[in-house]
């Protein structure tokens, strides 16, 4: 049997079993976008898996070379659209580092709060979709119900619900409206209540536990070797969070803990994300209490021309370590811009995790890796 | 779960004490597991029934029936529009900064000369098809001549209907 490109395991000789190949995606709903997985199956058991990328490749990095730094910010929205703010922030941090632009205190607080709100929002969507992938439509509706007030805050703040293009070098495009703090307070209490409900609905559900515990166990060593980040890495017991280990913005001034798992299975990754939502509410609570007045943005420049050199910045987005590498040649446009997206590295462990599992387990594993395909393809 | 947080207790039941994946599943005899499994399902169902019957939990908006009362926020970003005073005059000076600020070539500002030879706006072409609603044009405009409007129902049957000219009033976008 001739193997398609990418498959490495030798075919079983003598026709002991009937192996076959199956395309999952690119239009499969549980691949969260246009991810195409080629499965090598023996019955329902997965022997090997090869992800095919590039279905939503838009050439954003190449496009970025022809756009000014300010215009590049709106392109970062479209990488990982569920953590658009974190992506905006990463690029802004790189520009600020290059030009030595400071950010007023209110601007920094706004950044932290918005990024944490977005982390909650992204995890809510992930939770809903996870339930739906496993056949529970209820959780999809409940996740979206909790997500809506946060999206409304974003809409009131910057006028957009998904692709915000909000942060600018030296602060943000808009100041927080008057209703911002009361609405954030409401969200904090509603999320804490919601997470308890989530435990009742899904965490304690015996079917859900049977389908996630011991499924897709990612060892600590593998997670580190593949460069995983975010909840996938922490679920395997590695205590690494950019917000703690290389604090940016004001994260070193907030008291929060980094939850980690023990076994690295789907259930651990699930619990880590739920706990992260609660930790984000802790950060929000502290930020609401200390939210200062004053300007939200330092002096606006007509043009941002980065001095020649290379600049790296990284943030912890909802999915993990998001990095921006800018090579500047002194003009208003970057010579080269490279995004290090967390989903790309997290996807790579998939081929290790699924071997020996069933197709239904593959769906659970993809869901707990929390992949965003436009982030992988860019 | 290893966490030093004070909120650790909120996620305890059934989750953190596990050592191996299998040990935290409902333990005990076969029938005991079936019963405890059923109880967990019933608790979840109880929550959904609460949401089904309690009218306070209704969050659904009846769009498009509620069009008249559905208000967008002041900063809402939709179709680009020109600000006009009560006489219908705009304050665009055709400087072309918005055209340069646009990342997608959405805007074309075509100029002409008035009788005294001064530059003025001839035609303001806005290609809605290419617009990503990033708001950079509005931020760049030094005169406040353009805003991202509130009109969010922008679908059309013809591509040509989505190339708008904003300078003349009759061509203003309307749903």
């Amino acid at each position: 049997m001739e193997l398609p490109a990418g498959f490495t395991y030798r075919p079983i000789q003598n026709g002991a079993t009937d192996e076959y190949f199956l395309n999952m995606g690119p239009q499969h709903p549980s691949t969260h976008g246009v991810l195409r997985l080629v499965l090598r199956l023996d019955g329902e058991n997965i022997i090997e898996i090869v992800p095919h990328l590039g279905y939503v490749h838009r050439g954003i990095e190449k496009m970025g070379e022809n756009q000014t730094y300010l215009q590049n910010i709106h392109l970062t929205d479209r990488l990982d659209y569920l953590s658009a703010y974190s992506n905006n922030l990463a690029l802004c941090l790189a520009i600020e580092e290059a030009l030595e632009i400071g950010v007023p205190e209110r601007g920094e607080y706004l950044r932290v709060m918005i990024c944490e709100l977005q982390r909650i929002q992204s995890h809510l969507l992930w939770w809903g979709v996870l339930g739906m992938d496993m056949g529970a439509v209820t959780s999809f509706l409940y996740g979206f119900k909790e997500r809506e007030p946060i999206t409304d805050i974003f809409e009131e703040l910057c006028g957009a619900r998904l692709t915000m293009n909000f942060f600018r070098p030296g602060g943000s495009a808009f100041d927080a409206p008057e209703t911002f703090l009361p609405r954030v307070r409401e969200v904090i209490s509603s999320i804490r209540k919601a997470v308890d409900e989530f435990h009742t609905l899904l965490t304690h559900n015996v079917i859900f536990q049977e389908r996630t515990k011991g499924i897709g166990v990612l060892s600590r060593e593998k997670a580190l070797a593949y460069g995983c980040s975010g909840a996938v890495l922490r679920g395997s017991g590695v205590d690494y969070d950019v917000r703690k280990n290389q604090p940016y913005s004001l994260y070193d001034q907030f008291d929060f803990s980094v939850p980690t798992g023990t076994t690295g299975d789907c259930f651990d990754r699930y619990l880590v994300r739920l706990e992260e939502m609660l930790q984000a509410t802790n950060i929000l609570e502290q930020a609401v209490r200390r939210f200062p007045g004053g300007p939200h943005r330092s002096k606006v420049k007509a043009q941002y021309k980065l001095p020649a050199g290379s600049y790296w910045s990284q943030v912890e987005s909802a999915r993990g370590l998001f990095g921006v590498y800018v090579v500047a040649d002194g003009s208003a446009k970057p010579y080269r811009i490279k995004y290090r997206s967390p989903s790309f590295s997290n996807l790579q462990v998939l081929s290790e995790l699924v071997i020996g599992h069933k197709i239904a387990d593959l769906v659970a594993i993809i869901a707990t890796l929390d992949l965003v395909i436009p982030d992988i393809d860019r | 779960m290893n966490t030093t947080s004070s909120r650790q207790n909120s996620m305890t039941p059934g989750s953190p004490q596990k050592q191996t994946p299998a040990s935290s599943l409902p333990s005990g005899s076969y029938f005991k597991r079936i019963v405890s499994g059923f109880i967990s399902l019933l608790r979840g169902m109880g929550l959904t029934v609460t949401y089904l019957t309690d009218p306070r939990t209704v969050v659904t908006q009846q769009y498009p029936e509620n069009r008249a009362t559905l208000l967008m926020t002041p900063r809402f970003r939709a179709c680009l529009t020109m600000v006009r005073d009560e006489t219908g005059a705009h304050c665009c000076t055709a400087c072309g900064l918005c055209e340069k600020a646009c990342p997608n070539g959405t805007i074309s500002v075509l100029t002409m000369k008035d009788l005294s030879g001064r530059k003025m706006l001839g035609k303001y072409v806005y290609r809605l098809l290419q617009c990503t609603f990033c708001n950079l044009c509005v931020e760049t405009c030094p005169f406040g001549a353009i805003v991202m409007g509130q009109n969010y129902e922008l679908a059309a049957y013809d591509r040509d209907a989505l190339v708008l000219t904003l300078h003349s009033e009759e061509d203003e976008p309307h749903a």
Side-chain angles (χ1 to χ4, degrees):
Chain A
M1 185 169 59
E2 191 71 30
L3 286 179
F7 288 91
T8 50
Y9 290 3
R10 284 229 196 90
I12 295 172
Q13 300 296 318
N14 309 327
T17 51
D18 277 335
E19 285 183 10
Y20 63 104
F21 292 89
L22 185 76
N23 273 308
M24 188 170 165
Q27 270 84 34
H28 196 282
S30 72
T31 54
H32 295 201
V34 280
L35 175 66
R36 177 180 165 215
L37 301 168
V38 184
L39 315 177
R40 183 177 173 189
L41 297 164
D42 174 14
E44 213 189 331
N45 296 315
I46 298 165
I47 298 172
E48 211 178 349
I49 182 170
V50 174
H52 282 233
L53 308 180
Y55 285 89
V56 278
H57 179 71
R58 295 146 295 171
I60 282 185
E61 288 177 8
K62 189 70 191 168
M63 226 193 280
E65 292 169 18
N66 292 312
Q67 307 213 343
T68 64
Y69 290 101
L70 217 52
Q71 289 171 343
N72 257 300
I73 298 173
H74 101 287
L75 286 178
T76 60
D77 288 343
R78 285 152 179 84
L79 301 169
D80 176 358
Y81 46 81
L82 290 176
S83 32
Y85 283 123
S86 312
N87 300 355
N88 288 176
L89 181 58
L91 183 55
C92 290
L93 287 175
I95 300 171
E96 281 160 17
E97 183 206 316
L99 293 172
E100 291 169 357
I101 303 171
V103 182
E105 204 186 4
R106 188 182 170 90
E108 292 275 29
Y109 268 90
L110 200 56
R111 283 182 171 185
V112 169
M113 289 171 79
I114 292 297
C115 285
E116 290 310 309
L117 279 172
Q118 177 122 67
R119 191 181 316 281
I120 297 174
Q121 189 209 33
S122 168
H123 285 353
L124 284 170
L125 189 134
W126 157 82
W127 183 85
V129 173
L130 170 73
M132 195 155 89
D133 283 350
M134 302 205 170
V137 183
T138 315
S139 73
F140 184 73
L141 301 174
Y142 284 31
F144 265 75
K145 173 184 149 288
E146 299 301 332
R147 188 175 176 264
E148 195 61 21
I150 304 180
T151 317
D152 283 345
I153 291 179
F154 292 162
E155 190 185 332
E156 200 176 28
L157 182 73
C158 67
R161 295 165 72 86
L162 196 69
T163 48
M164 289 86 174
N165 187 28
F166 180 63
F167 293 134
R168 297 282 182 274
S172 50
F174 300 101
D175 196 3
E178 276 175 19
T179 50
F180 181 64
L181 288 186
R183 293 185 87 155
V184 171
R185 275 193 208 101
E186 264 172 44
V187 163
I188 292 172
S189 57
S190 79
I191 292 301
R192 285 178 177 166
K193 194 166 146 269
V195 172
D196 283 343
E197 286 183 0
F198 292 174
H199 283 309
T200 317
L201 266 178
L202 214 55
T203 317
H204 297 171
N205 187 310
V206 66
I207 302 170
F208 176 75
Q209 290 193 10
E210 293 271 6
R211 287 196 58 184
T212 49
K213 281 185 178 169
I215 304 294
V217 178
L218 177 64
S219 69
R220 191 191 154 87
E221 292 72 31
K222 281 255 168 65
L224 287 169
Y226 275 92
C228 295
S229 54
V232 179
L233 181 68
R234 291 191 284 274
S236 298
V238 183
D239 185 11
Y240 178 80
D241 190 315
V242 183
R243 294 174 293 165
K244 274 276 187 222
N245 296 58
Q246 287 96 29
Y248 53 94
S249 196
L250 289 183
Y251 276 110
D252 46 351
Q253 297 179 21
F254 288 95
D255 175 34
F256 66 100
S257 68
V258 179
T260 53
T262 45
T263 51
D265 57 359
C266 286
F267 196 64
D268 266 0
R269 292 193 278 276
Y270 169 85
L271 287 179
V272 164
R273 286 212 180 83
L274 281 189
E275 178 62 20
E276 260 179 35
M277 294 205 297
L278 294 176
Q279 291 302 327
T281 60
N282 286 354
I283 296 174
L284 282 174
E285 204 170 37
Q286 296 165 44
V288 166
R289 223 181 297 130
R290 308 203 296 246
F291 196 57
H296 68 284
R297 187 177 180 182
S298 53
K299 199 167 171 292
V300 182
K301 286 189 176 190
Q303 213 175 23
Y304 293 89
K305 279 188 176 175
L306 267 63
S310 58
Y311 309 95
W312 166 259
S313 67
Q314 57 187 21
V315 297
E316 180 80 20
S317 82
R319 253 145 290 278
L321 193 156
F322 179 84
V324 178
Y325 186 67
V326 183
V327 180
D329 57 358
S331 69
K333 295 168 183 174
Y335 175 76
R336 172 83 167 90
I337 191 155
K338 155 81 185 155
Y339 299 109
R340 187 264 182 222
S341 59
S343 293
F344 185 82
S345 305
N346 291 351
L347 169 71
Q348 307 310 319
V349 291
L350 185 66
S351 51
E352 298 263 356
L353 294 186
V354 295
I355 291 167
H357 286 304
K358 305 252 190 285
I359 293 180
D361 297 332
L362 168 66
V363 172
I365 293 167
I366 296 175
T368 51
L369 287 180
D370 195 12
L371 303 171
V372 167
I373 311 306
D375 193 27
I376 297 169
D377 282 349
R378 295 196 286 279
Chain B
M1 302 291 290
N2 311 319
T3 164
T4 52
S5 145
S6 56
R7 288 192 58 84
Q8 188 189 12
N9 292 335
S10 66
M11 54 180 301
T12 34
S15 53
Q17 292 89 5
K18 69 191 160 76
Q19 269 78 45
T20 60
S23 70
S24 58
L25 291 174
S27 54
S29 72
Y30 179 72
F31 291 106
K32 206 172 161 191
R33 280 181 58 187
I34 289 179
V35 171
S36 61
F38 251 110
I39 290 170
S40 78
L41 292 181
L42 285 176
R43 286 218 182 93
M45 287 301 281
L47 193 69
T48 52
V49 169
T50 317
Y51 272 92
L52 181 70
T53 50
D54 190 347
R56 283 171 300 173
T57 56
V58 175
V59 288
T60 316
Q61 292 199 17
Q62 298 299 327
Y63 181 80
E65 286 81 9
N66 68 346
R67 263 208 198 104
T69 54
L70 189 64
L71 277 178
M72 292 295 114
T73 56
R75 292 175 185 174
F76 188 75
R77 307 206 300 246
C79 188
L80 191 72
T81 43
M82 261 191 179
V83 181
R84 289 174 194 284
D85 59 13
E86 55 276 8
T87 61
H90 61 75
C91 57
C92 177
T93 60
C95 65
L97 280 177
C98 49
E99 189 180 337
K100 286 201 191 77
C102 181
N104 315 305
T106 305
I107 299 167
S108 292
V109 181
L110 308 175
T111 55
M112 59 181 195
K113 292 215 167 88
D114 65 2
L115 290 174
S116 61
R118 218 177 43 159
K119 196 171 83 168
M120 61 178 282
L121 181 64
K123 197 175 181 187
Y124 195 104
V125 184
Y126 170 59
R127 301 176 192 86
L128 185 57
L129 286 165
Q130 294 170 26
C131 186
T132 55
F133 306 101
C134 66
N135 209 33
L136 285 176
C137 52
V138 178
E139 268 175 53
T140 316
C141 183
F143 307 102
I146 43 176
V147 287
M148 284 283 175
Q150 305 274 315
N151 180 13
Y152 51 89
E153 291 174 327
L154 300 168
Y157 284 103
D158 190 358
R159 287 174 69 93
D160 293 342
L162 295 174
V163 179
L164 307 166
T165 44
L166 300 189
H167 61 285
S168 54
E169 234 174 325
E170 59 269 26
D171 277 345
E172 284 279 284
H174 36 74

